[in-house]
Every structure is written in C-alpha cells, then in structure tokens.
Amino acid sequence: MDNKITVTATINADVKKVWDYYTNPTHIVNWNFADPSWHCPTATNDMKVGGIYNARMEAKDGSFGFDFEAVYTEIHEGESFVYEFGGRQASVVFNEQNGQTKVTVTFDPETQNPVEMQQQGWQAILNNFKNYTETN
C-alpha cells in the first residue's frame, strides 16, 4: 500500500527506557488502548525476527474485544522494528535527542474505517504510551 499513516510522540525519557516500555509486556498492558473505556488485559512479545507479538484489547464493560497479533520481520535493538499483521505492515522508529525520544509509527491503513479514524486511534494509543512512560 502506498498511503501509509504516520503518528509520532516525543517522550521525555531516554531511548533505553522508551524501548523497554514499548516492547515489554509488563508495560504494554498499561498503555495499549486508545480510550479510557478500554484496556489491554494481556500481552506477549517474542522480540525476534519471526517472533510473535500479541495484545488483547477489550472494552472494560466486556462488550467487545479483539486480539492484535503481529510477526516481526526486522529488528534493530533500541532503534527500530518492523512487523506484519493481517496482510499489512508497520514500522516503529526510536530517535533519541537531548534526553528525549521521538517515537514514529508508520503503518498501512485498513480499508474498513476512514484513514482519519485510524490515525486518531493509533495516535491516541501512542499518547497513552507517552503519558504512561513519563509518569512511571
């Protein structure tokens, strides 16, 4: 797909902490949702090429939920990684500068929801990540 979507956030933390909080399931369950009415009850992450990432996202009232599963295709420890999910691809890049780390997520959109909605959802998740990382 040519029309990739990009979301970014600059986190007030060094890249080592940001990478750990982004990839460690102990932390993933605390930030991986777009809205306060949702949560991420479980996450696993086999951080290697061919390894599987899986996160369960659910409405807190139990009305809806889904598993987000991806397979890593490229990993540069502490710098970036690429994964594939549902025939789509996403990359996550970590750039540290002056004690802050910019996280850039670029992904292929799906065709069922408007691009703006997808961008807002992924940005909301990244904003949750930023808030969680900076306050813990």
Side-chain angles (χ1 to χ4, degrees), residues 8-114:
T8 64
T10 300
I11 292 88
N12 193 21
D14 64 73
V15 72
K16 187 175 189 301
K17 178 181 179 180
V18 173
W19 178 272
D20 179 52
Y21 276 43
Y22 202 94
T23 61
N24 185 328
T26 302
H27 297 295
I28 293 168
V29 296
N30 293 303
W31 60 261
N32 193 29
F33 41 90
D35 181 276
S37 66
W38 281 67
H39 67 146
C40 180
T42 61
T44 58
N45 194 16
D46 186 12
M47 193 84 197
K48 66 182 182 190
V49 172
I52 295 174
Y53 167 89
N54 188 295
R56 177 76 184 165
M57 295 182 195
E58 292 180 354
K60 288 181 180 176
D61 67 7
S63 63
F64 187 75
F66 65 94
D67 290 306
F68 181 92
E69 185 173 292
V71 177
Y72 290 103
T73 58
E74 192 177 319
I75 298 172
H76 301 280
E77 184 75 27
E79 296 176 9
S80 66
F81 57 85
V82 177
Y83 58 86
E84 292 180 349
F85 60 105
R88 298 159 50 204
Q89 187 178 67
S91 66
V92 183
V93 178
F94 301 78
N95 288 312
E96 184 178 0
Q97 189 171 28
N98 301 323
Q100 293 185 319
T101 304
K102 182 177 181 183
V103 178
T104 304
V105 181
T106 304
F107 64 97
D108 295 327
E110 42 92 349
T111 56
Q112 296 164 346
N113 293 296

